[in-house]
Structures are given as structure tokens and as C-alpha cells.
Amino acid sequence: MAANNALDRLVGLAMLILASVVFLYYTVWTLLMPFVDDNHPLQTLFPPRVWAIRIPVILLLLGGAVVGSFLSVVMIRSNRKKAAKAKAAKAK
Amino acid sequence: MTRAQQQLALLATFSITYFICFAGLLPLPEKIQDEIIPVLPFWFLVSFGAFLLFKLGYGVLTFNDVPDAYEELMGQIKQAKTDLRKKGVDVSD
């Protein structure tokens, strides 16, 4: 029987909407705003364009740090397990 | 031509085209050169991320559980583990 949890569907829909909003906002920010006059009211919706570069770079560095730390934790844990097993085998 | 070679060739084409535009070797309107070209890689990255998130969200939205297949799969996993342990492979639980 096929079942689709209501909470799961909500999470999926939220991801969908977030992805679309991020894409639209960023596209307008980086590709459209240069052609908009500086005194147009639309400019008030967007921060200075330097941040269009800074935010992705910061997120990339943060993401790399998270992935790297996760990898190192897993490797250290597996090495420790291997060392403990080798010690147990030798002590036998 | 293998698939990897094909993808590499595509990547090289785009990289070289972008680098030529970025280095100012192509005469472009000043507005585009100064403000749009440097931002393009970041735009591609953010759009790609948004596309992946969209795909994920859509998959989660339309996913359907199949309890029978789940039971069958868990049984097969257990069977495989016991078989491997009998043959001497160290299987973690």
C-alpha cells in the first residue's frame, strides 16, 4: 500500500518553495539589478551587490568545513576501532 | 568518445569561453563586462544548488512508501549478513 506522510509532503513542498524563491531572488539580484537605476524603489528590496558574492562564498566555505569535519570524525573513529581490534587480537 | 570525455569537453568549452569574456579579450558593453561577467559563476552555482533542492523537494513531495518491499529488503539484508558471517567476513551490525 502506498503511503505519503502529510509531514513529509509539507517538508518537500517547503523545499520546493524555498528553492524557487532563492533562485528568483538571486537571479533578479545579480542579473537584473545592474540595469535598474539607483533611485528606483526596487533597489530597496536588495542589499548592496557585494553581498551577492560574499554570501555564496561564505556558505561554500562553511559547507566545506562541515563536510571536512564529518569526514575526519568518521575516519578517526574507524581508525580507532581498527587499532582497538588489532590490540585485542594481539592480547589474545 | 566516452561519456567522461564528452563531459570534460563540454566543461572545457564553457571554461574557455568564460575565461575569454572574463579577461576582457572580447569587446562587450561596459555594463555587462564590469557587473555581469564576474558574477556569472556564482549565479550558476546558486542556481544549480536551487535546482538540486527543487529536485529533492519534489522527490520528497511525491515519494510513496511501500511496506512490502521494505520487509522483503530487510529480510534479504539479514540473509546476506548471515551468509557472509558464515564465510568469515566481518560484518558490522
Side-chain angles (χ1 to χ4, degrees):
Chain A
M1 207 57 56
N4 203 354
N5 207 349
L7 181 64
D8 287 344
R9 296 242 307 275
L10 204 65
V11 168
L13 191 64
M15 286 163 78
L16 257 165
I17 294 179
L18 178 68
S20 316
V21 166
V22 161
F23 171 69
L24 280 168
Y25 187 81
Y26 197 76
T27 303
V28 170
W29 196 10
T30 57
L31 301 185
L32 253 77
M33 293 323 284
F35 301 107
V36 169
D37 292 328
D38 278 332
N39 44 17
H40 195 282
L42 199 64
Q43 293 276 5
T44 58
L45 291 172
F46 297 96
R49 276 182 91 244
V50 260
W51 287 104
I53 310 268
R54 284 184 193 162
I55 294 181
V57 170
I58 292 175
L59 288 176
L60 263 170
L61 292 172
L62 262 164
V66 164
V67 169
S69 345
F70 175 72
L71 249 160
S72 23
V73 162
V74 164
M75 286 175 77
I76 290 177
R77 214 177 279 168
S78 116
N79 274 351
R80 210 177 287 163
K81 235 189 269 182
K82 213 191 296 181
K85 213 181 293 176
K87 211 196 288 182
K90 229 198 290 189
K92 234 195 277 188
Chain B
M1 182 175 270
T2 68
R3 192 176 168 84
Q5 284 174 320
Q6 208 172 23
Q7 301 283 14
L8 226 64
L10 215 68
L11 182 70
T13 314
F14 277 116
S15 309
I16 292 176
T17 317
Y18 178 73
F19 184 73
I20 291 177
C21 293
F22 190 67
L25 299 170
L26 216 64
L28 287 168
E30 188 190 308
K31 201 82 192 269
I32 296 185
Q33 180 69 35
D34 287 335
E35 299 216 29
I36 305 263
I37 300 283
V39 168
L40 273 181
F42 295 101
W43 179 78
F44 270 115
L45 202 62
V46 170
S47 310
F48 184 60
F51 169 69
L52 287 178
L53 188 64
F54 189 91
K55 208 160 177 245
L56 260 172
Y58 183 71
V60 171
L61 186 69
T62 55
F63 189 74
N64 284 318
D65 271 335
V66 255
D68 297 334
Y70 170 74
E71 296 297 328
E72 191 182 341
L73 184 63
M74 294 311 278
Q76 285 181 341
I77 292 176
K78 211 183 273 183
Q79 191 177 29
K81 278 191 187 167
T82 51
D83 283 344
L84 283 170
R85 279 204 196 94
K86 243 182 270 174
K87 298 203 174 116
V89 176
D90 183 19
V91 179
S92 69
D93 206 0

